[in-house]
């Protein structure tokens, strides 16, 4: 399949619109001590509890965790999509040095869809079923770029060509239901990128797709963002997707970051016991089948019953008394930041 | 001669998905027939696990229902221990039904939320008249809960009090309640998180060796299949394209579709790996491509693949449905 190169932009006479770019010493996205709270009758829930990370331009940061880890809510908080009564209780989100966690109205709309594009899990719910996809793309382009109606149409065509939709010119007038699942997700990616964002938040972008289509969509997303220098926050539960697409990875557990660092070192030399457990329980194509999978006992705690101290301690085979009482501080081990009381201590062999 | 537990031969199932007749008449539409399962044959040895793997629309779940007798085949038959489940209800088929059970995908939808766990698990025991005495039934429920790693006191709780992994354990306990020999597992762990998936897969393997169970294991996840299966069948648009032992399939996949599927699956050690995808997607199952269904996506496709449905070739203990199979296995063509 031939995918037109992004450099064909000049061929169609569309000039790239300049965007504010981040200065070099500033990360593209800086999330600091982010806390999201949901007041309920049964108490105050904290689905995100003190999350900090940074993402540089052109970098793909993976956010991985099991259900209930708070990864999607973190993404929603960054783009101001938290549904009430959920709210950002404290902490800050900076995009290229500028606070974006307290924006409202037009300021928020400029950031959301313009500077930050989003790709959600289910392509059939991110597109308007009653509007032709060409119109949806053109509308988004006009909304965020200072261009004319005719120009926005050219942009829409270009965007469809870039994501590899065959016969893009004719498909502009098609409705979302006329596309297959994989093609629809390509349209969603085109929609996310058409406002020329500096950051894309992709929340489980391929979970609803079959593996062969997943590989195509991930390759596409990776290539397009690399070409544009767009940062990507890739939220997923799939360790394989993390390994193959991300530069750095943050492992989340019960609303907190357990470990963050360069992907290969986190996955191969995990410092946090949870990351180790997660890797060992993932069926690995290179492992010996005769041996059972390593299993972590128990399950992720509910938001109403998050344990004191380190949230992972009841499931951890290395827990010490400190783990039960005090939240672990950030510690740098190798190239990773790890929140764990025991990670820096030499691990004792379990069977002696 | 291995001891065959399940024999599936020439299994075909078509669904009529036409519009209502008046619409067909007014809009001059033809009937639309979807062939979900197309001439599928395989057998499962007693005490082993046969895995069916395929993407959406490949007919995996339809085969599960046909094997269980929940759907009637359009053609072909399923023999479990020599007798036909889809035959009209007789004393013999009732007895057979006790020996065949199922584990479902969604542990949230497959347990009645208004029933206590103990009642859910004891229902099959009661229905098949295995323990007429209530006290004995309760003891059996406690034993089953213990077997799947739950506490006997959990019998009085309701499903909502359990996590997804624990609910799947309840589903397994219910499947085991009638002391079955053959269990159909349709995506038993795809709704679960990885750490919990590992618990459930290990449990299923332990139960198999303990109780000598035979599994038909249906999944879209190749790494899970590799962990569970003895034999693997790869489905594409309702047809089996390759059947082989686990080691043969994963070490030297032969059919171009199997190869593509194995390459496309993300690997946890595949840092920065680039995929060679064929760019295609699963075609419309109502109007599937002629000849070999995979030919529009296949790098090796020839005119013959477009016209002629390939026959099954038996090569080194595997069955491959591909015109180029011999050349691929001998390494004389490059994919």
């Amino acid at each position: 399949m031939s995918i037109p190169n992004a450099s064909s932009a000049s061929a169609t006479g569309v000039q790239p619109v300049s965007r504010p770019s981040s200065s070099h010493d500033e990360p593209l996205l800086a999330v600091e001590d982010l806390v999201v709270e949901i007041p309920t009758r049964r108490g105050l829930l904290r689905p995100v509890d003190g999350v900090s990370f940074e993402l540089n331009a052109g970098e793909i940061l993976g956010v991985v965790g099991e259900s209930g880890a708070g990864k999607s809510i973190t993404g929603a908080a960054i783009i101001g999509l938290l549904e009430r009564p959920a709210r950002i209780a404290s902490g800050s989100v900076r995009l290229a040095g500028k606070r974006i966690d307290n924006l409202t109205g037009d300021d928020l709309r400029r950031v959301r869809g313009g500077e930050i594009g989003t790709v959600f899990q289910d392509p059939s719910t991110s597109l308007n079923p009653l509007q032709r996809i060409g119109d949806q793309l053109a509308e988004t382009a006009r909304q965020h770029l200072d261009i004319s109606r005719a120009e926005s149409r050219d942009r829409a065509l270009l965007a469809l060509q870039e994501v590899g939709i065959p016969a893009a010119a004719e498909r502009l007038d098609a409705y979302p239901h006329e596309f297959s699942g994989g093609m629809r997700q390509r349209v969603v990616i085109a929609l996310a990128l058409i406002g020329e964002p500096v950051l894309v938040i992709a929340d489980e972008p391929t979970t609803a797709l079959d593996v062969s289509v997943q590989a195509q969509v991930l390759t596409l997303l990776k290539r397009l963002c690399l070409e544009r220098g767009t940062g990507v926050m890739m939220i997923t539960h799939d360790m394989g997707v993390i390994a193959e697409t991300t530069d750095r990875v943050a492992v989340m557990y019960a609303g907190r970051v357990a470990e963050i660092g360069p992907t290969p070192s986190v996955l191969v030399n995990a410092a946090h016991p949870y990351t180790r457990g997660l890797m060992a329980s993932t069926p690995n194509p290179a492992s010996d089948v005769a041996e059972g999978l390593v299993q972590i006992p128990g399950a992720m705690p509910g938001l109403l019953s998050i344990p004191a101290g380190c949230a992972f301690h009841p499931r951890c085979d290395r827990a010490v008394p400190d783990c039960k009482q005090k939240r672990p501080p950030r510690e740098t081990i190798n190239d990773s930041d790890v929140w764990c009381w025991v990670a820096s201590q030499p691990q004792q062999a379990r069977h002696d | 001669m291995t001891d065959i537990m399940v024999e599936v031969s020439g299994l075909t199932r078509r669904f009529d998905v036409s519009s209502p007749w008046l619409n067909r008449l007014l809009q001059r539409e033809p009937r639309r027939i979807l062939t979900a399962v197309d001439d599928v044959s395989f057998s499962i040895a007693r005490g082993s696990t046969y895995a069916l793997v395929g993407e959406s629309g490949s007919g995996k779940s339809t085969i599960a229902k046909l094997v269980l007798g929940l759907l009637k085949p359009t053609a072909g038959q399923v023999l479990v221990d020599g007798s036909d489940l889809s035959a009209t209800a007789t004393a013999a088929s009732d007895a057979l039904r006790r020996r065949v059970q199922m584990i479902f995908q969604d542990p949230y939808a497959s347990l009645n939320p208004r029933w206590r766990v103990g009642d859910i698990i004891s229902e099959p025991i009661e229905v098949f008249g295995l323990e007429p005495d209530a006290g004995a039934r309760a003891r059996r429920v406690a034993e089953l809960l213990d077997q799947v790693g739950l506490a006997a006191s959990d019998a009085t709780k309701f499903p909502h009090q359990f996590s997804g992994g624990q609910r799947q354990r309840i589903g397994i306990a219910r499947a085991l309640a009638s002391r079955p020999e053959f269990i159909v597992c349709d995506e038993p762990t795809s709704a679960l998180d990885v750490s919990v998936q590992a618990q459930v897969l290990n449990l299923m393997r332990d139960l198999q060796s303990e109780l000598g169970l035979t599994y038909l294991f249906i999944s879209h996840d190749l790494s899970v299949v590799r962990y569970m299966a003895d034999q693997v069948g790869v489905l594409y648009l309702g047809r089996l394209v390759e059947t082989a032992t686990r080691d043969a399939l994963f070490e030297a996949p032969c059919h171009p579709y199997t190869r593509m599927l194995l390459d496309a699956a993300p690997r946890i050690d595949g840092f920065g790996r680039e995929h060679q995808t064929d760019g295609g997607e699963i075609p419309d199952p109502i109007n599937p491509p002629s000849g070999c269904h995979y030919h529009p996506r296949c790098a090796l496709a020839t005119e013959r693949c477009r016209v002629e449905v390939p026959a099954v070739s038996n090569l080194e203990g595997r069955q491959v449905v591909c015109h180029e199979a011999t050349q691929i296995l001998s390494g004389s063509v490059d994919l």
Side-chain angles (χ1 to χ4, degrees):
Chain A
M1 187 181 59
S2 74
I3 296 172
N5 198 291
S7 61
S8 59
S10 50
T12 51
V14 179
Q15 293 302 314
V17 175
S18 68
R19 305 293 277 169
S21 63
S22 58
S23 58
H24 285 289
D25 46 348
E26 197 106 52
L28 176 62
L29 177 74
V31 176
E32 218 181 301
D33 222 4
L34 185 70
V35 177
V36 174
E37 287 180 348
I38 308 177
T40 69
R41 268 183 298 177
R42 287 191 290 170
L44 193 64
L45 309 184
R46 282 196 165 180
V48 178
D49 192 356
V51 164
S52 304
F53 61 85
E54 291 177 352
L55 197 165
N56 297 314
E59 183 182 55
I60 304 184
L61 173 77
V63 177
V64 72
E66 300 180 281
S67 16
K71 46 194 197 306
S72 290
I73 297 199
T74 306
I78 292 170
I79 39 177
L81 277 181
L82 283 180
E83 269 176 69
R84 293 207 321 152
R87 56 167 193 243
I88 295 180
S90 64
S92 68
V93 180
R94 285 192 166 79
L95 185 70
K98 188 181 69 186
R99 281 284 291 260
I100 58 165
D101 51 292
N102 48 9
L103 298 178
T104 51
D106 283 346
D107 295 330
L108 177 59
R109 264 191 292 281
R110 243 191 307 281
V111 168
R112 188 165 63 195
E115 285 168 52
I116 305 182
T118 48
V119 179
F120 292 109
Q121 174 171 349
D122 185 356
S124 52
T125 54
S126 352
L127 295 169
N128 182 343
L130 302 178
Q131 210 183 3
R132 297 175 200 277
I133 59 147
D135 296 341
Q136 298 188 38
L137 286 162
E139 184 191 351
T140 311
R142 271 203 312 285
Q143 205 51 238
H144 295 292
L145 307 171
D146 184 21
I147 53 176
S148 71
R149 197 164 272 274
E151 218 178 322
S152 72
R153 187 85 182 163
D154 291 343
R155 289 250 172 190
L157 175 60
L158 183 67
L160 275 195
Q161 284 169 347
E162 271 178 358
V163 294
I165 304 271
E170 290 98 84
R171 302 297 264 167
L172 275 178
D173 291 323
Y175 288 96
H177 75 265
E178 296 174 71
F179 291 83
S180 66
M183 286 296 156
R184 227 178 275 157
Q185 196 63 311
R186 285 170 191 262
V187 174
V188 174
I189 291 175
L191 201 56
L193 292 174
I194 201 165
E196 299 191 345
V198 289
L199 172 69
V200 170
I201 296 182
D203 190 354
E204 305 268 9
T206 56
T207 305
L209 306 177
D210 280 314
V211 278
S212 60
V213 182
Q214 161 170 292
Q216 298 166 22
V217 170
L218 287 177
T219 306
L220 175 76
L221 190 64
K222 214 160 100 176
R223 184 176 59 76
L224 290 178
C225 292
L226 209 66
E227 280 168 5
R228 291 166 162 77
T230 311
V232 181
M233 177 174 161
M234 172 82 76
I235 299 169
T236 178
H237 68 280
D238 188 329
M239 281 296 190
V241 170
I242 289 289
E244 294 189 358
T245 47
T246 65
D247 303 312
R248 285 194 311 135
V249 60
V251 181
M252 286 189 70
Y253 187 82
R256 303 157 190 188
V257 176
E259 179 165 9
I260 183 168
T263 304
S265 83
V266 170
L267 264 51
V268 177
N269 294 316
H272 198 287
Y274 176 61
T275 320
R276 278 170 186 264
L278 207 53
M279 289 305 291
S281 58
T282 307
N284 177 349
S287 69
D288 182 3
V289 179
E291 284 172 34
L293 291 168
V294 175
Q295 53 189 62
I296 311 177
M300 176 90 67
L303 288 176
L304 280 165
S305 53
I306 292 182
C310 167
F312 185 61
H313 84 256
R315 302 177 70 188
C316 184
D317 56 0
R318 297 180 64 194
V320 295
D322 266 355
C323 303
K324 298 189 176 82
Q325 284 141 24
K326 291 181 281 182
R327 287 273 294 266
R330 181 202 303 236
E331 215 181 332
T332 304
I333 300 173
N334 301 330
D335 307 324
S336 308
D337 286 341
V338 186
W339 284 258
C340 178
W341 286 109
V342 296
S344 56
Q345 291 156 23
Q347 190 173 12
Q348 291 164 350
R350 235 184 285 166
H351 302 292
D352 43 43
Chain B
M1 178 72 201
T2 44
D3 185 7
I4 299 296
M5 179 78 194
V6 182
E7 178 85 59
V8 172
S9 48
L11 197 63
T12 301
R13 172 71 201 205
R14 294 190 193 90
F15 293 101
D16 188 342
V17 291
S18 314
S19 327
W21 73 269
L22 191 59
N23 294 50
R24 282 207 309 276
L25 192 73
L26 295 174
Q27 291 155 10
R28 298 209 167 78
E29 274 179 23
R31 273 191 176 277
R32 288 151 55 85
I33 305 292
L34 187 152
T35 306
V37 179
D38 191 357
D39 197 14
V40 166
S41 305
F42 60 89
S43 57
I44 312 176
R46 195 182 300 274
S48 76
T49 302
Y50 185 94
L52 281 173
V53 61
E55 299 180 281
S56 34
S58 62
K60 327 184 272 298
S61 293
T62 308
I63 293 180
K65 288 180 185 154
L66 289 164
V67 167
L68 286 163
L70 296 176
L71 277 176
K72 285 210 183 305
T74 310
Q77 62 173 0
V78 179
L79 296 179
V80 180
D81 227 2
S83 31
D84 193 343
L85 258 182
S86 67
T88 38
T90 59
S93 76
D94 277 358
L96 188 60
R97 248 167 250 280
R98 179 193 64 77
R99 297 161 57 197
V100 181
Q101 287 295 323
M102 181 167 190
I103 299 169
F104 297 92
Q105 171 172 1
D106 186 351
Y108 292 84
S110 57
L111 303 176
N112 188 334
R114 291 164 191 273
W115 280 28
R116 291 182 196 276
V117 167
D119 297 330
I120 292 174
I121 297 173
S122 71
E123 189 188 23
I125 308 173
E126 223 174 315
V127 166
F128 290 111
L130 300 176
E131 301 278 4
D133 173 48
R137 268 206 304 277
R139 275 196 298 280
R140 173 78 179 127
V141 167
E143 179 191 317
L144 285 161
L145 283 170
D146 180 58
Q147 218 163 15
V148 298
L150 295 171
S153 57
D154 289 335
T156 55
K157 295 184 184 163
F158 286 97
H160 74 262
Q161 293 171 281
F162 295 89
S163 68
Q166 289 172 320
R167 283 179 201 220
Q168 200 59 308
R169 288 173 192 268
I170 296 169
I172 293 172
R174 175 178 59 185
L176 294 175
S178 67
R179 300 186 192 275
E181 289 151 49
F182 172 50
I183 299 183
V184 176
C185 323
D186 189 359
E187 303 263 17
T189 60
S190 51
L192 306 178
D193 281 316
V194 279
S195 68
V196 178
Q197 165 173 285
Q199 297 168 8
V200 172
L201 292 178
N202 284 340
L203 173 68
M204 287 178 66
R205 268 174 47 150
D206 294 346
L207 289 170
Q208 179 169 42
S209 55
E210 203 175 305
L211 305 170
L213 298 169
T214 307
Y215 287 141
L216 173 62
F217 189 91
I218 290 171
S219 180
H220 69 282
D221 188 335
L222 284 159
S223 53
V224 169
V225 163
R226 177 173 172 273
Y227 183 70
M228 293 298 287
D230 298 303
Q231 286 274 326
V232 185
V234 181
L235 282 166
Y236 186 70
L237 272 188
R239 291 179 187 164
L240 267 180
V241 295
E242 183 164 2
T243 320
T245 62
R246 178 194 60 218
D247 293 343
L249 191 95
F250 283 91
E251 275 156 33
C254 177
H255 197 282
Y257 176 65
T258 315
R259 291 185 169 211
M260 187 278 290
L261 211 55
L262 280 173
D263 179 75
R267 299 170 58 115
I268 54 172
D269 53 359
F271 302 114
R273 195 161 69 103
E274 297 288 332
H275 288 277
Q276 295 295 317
T277 59
D278 58 14
E281 281 188 54
I282 294 173
D284 177 10
I286 294 167
N287 298 301
S290 59
C292 169
H293 284 342
Y294 188 60
H295 83 259
R297 301 171 69 181
C298 182
L300 299 176
T302 61
E303 182 58 24
R304 187 169 166 220
C305 304
R306 214 171 56 75
V307 182
E308 193 187 323
V309 180
V312 182
S313 19
N314 277 294
L315 299 163
E316 299 164 22
R318 66 171 93 205
Q319 285 84 48
V320 188
V321 184
C322 176
H323 290 305
E324 305 290 328
T326 331
Q327 286 88 314
I328 294 171
L329 267 191
S330 67
S332 62
V333 284
D334 235 8
L335 273 172

